[in-house]
């Protein structure tokens, strides 16, 4: 697996909508896991469940007891985290961690 850790950054955060958009290496339908797995590892998240739809990968992940959805849409190349209930503080923290990657 290729290590893309320095290539992940927070593009935008919307705490009201509970979304963190992530700039990441390009991926297609078959290579999503190759791009998503280093991100999950870098942020210290655990994958609890994985689902694949026609054009969307959805992973239920856990970060210190907070469940989030990591989504990747391969046609547009978009990757983002969606928070579930009471996840705003966790999303803000994860976005700050992605910002630190860019600064290193």
């Amino acid at each position: 697996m290729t290590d893309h850790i320095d290539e992940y950054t927070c593009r935008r955060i919307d705490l009201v909508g509970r979304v963190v958009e992530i700039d990441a290496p390009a991926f297609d339908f078959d290579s999503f896991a190759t791009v998503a797995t280093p991100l999950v590892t870098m942020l210290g998240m655990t994958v609890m469940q994985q689902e694949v739809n026609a054009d969307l990968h959805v992973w239920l992940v856990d970060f210190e007891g907070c469940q989030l959805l990591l989504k990747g849409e391969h046609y547009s190349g978009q990757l983002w985290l969606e928070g579930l209930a009471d996840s705003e503080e966790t999303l803000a923290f994860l976005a700050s961690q992605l910002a630190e990657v860019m600064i290193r």
Side-chain angles (χ1 to χ4, degrees):
M1 179 181 348
T2 305
D3 186 0
H4 298 287
I5 290 175
D6 291 336
E7 298 181 41
Y8 296 96
T9 58
C10 177
R11 178 185 318 143
R12 187 177 77 87
I13 182 168
D14 176 0
L15 291 178
V16 174
R18 295 186 188 130
V19 175
V20 173
E21 295 177 4
I22 301 167
D23 283 325
F27 63 92
D28 60 24
F29 185 82
D30 295 323
S31 66
F32 177 76
T34 303
V35 172
T37 300
L39 174 68
V40 167
T41 301
M42 176 186 69
L43 293 176
M45 298 185 290
T46 303
V47 177
M48 301 175 64
Q49 190 173 39
Q50 297 176 359
E51 180 180 319
V52 178
N53 297 311
D55 62 346
L56 184 69
H57 288 266
V58 180
W59 289 8
L60 176 64
V61 296
D62 179 84
F63 178 78
E64 298 183 357
C66 182
Q67 293 188 348
L68 308 164
L69 298 175
L70 175 62
K71 295 185 174 182
E73 200 276 328
H74 74 276
Y75 289 125
S76 65
Q78 300 294 311
L79 183 69
W80 69 96
L81 284 167
E82 284 185 18
L84 304 175
D86 299 322
S87 60
E88 295 84 357
E89 186 176 318
T90 299
L91 287 170
F93 175 77
L94 292 171
S96 74
Q97 295 302 298
L98 289 167
E100 285 182 21
V101 169
M102 188 173 178
I103 293 169
R104 295 198 265 153

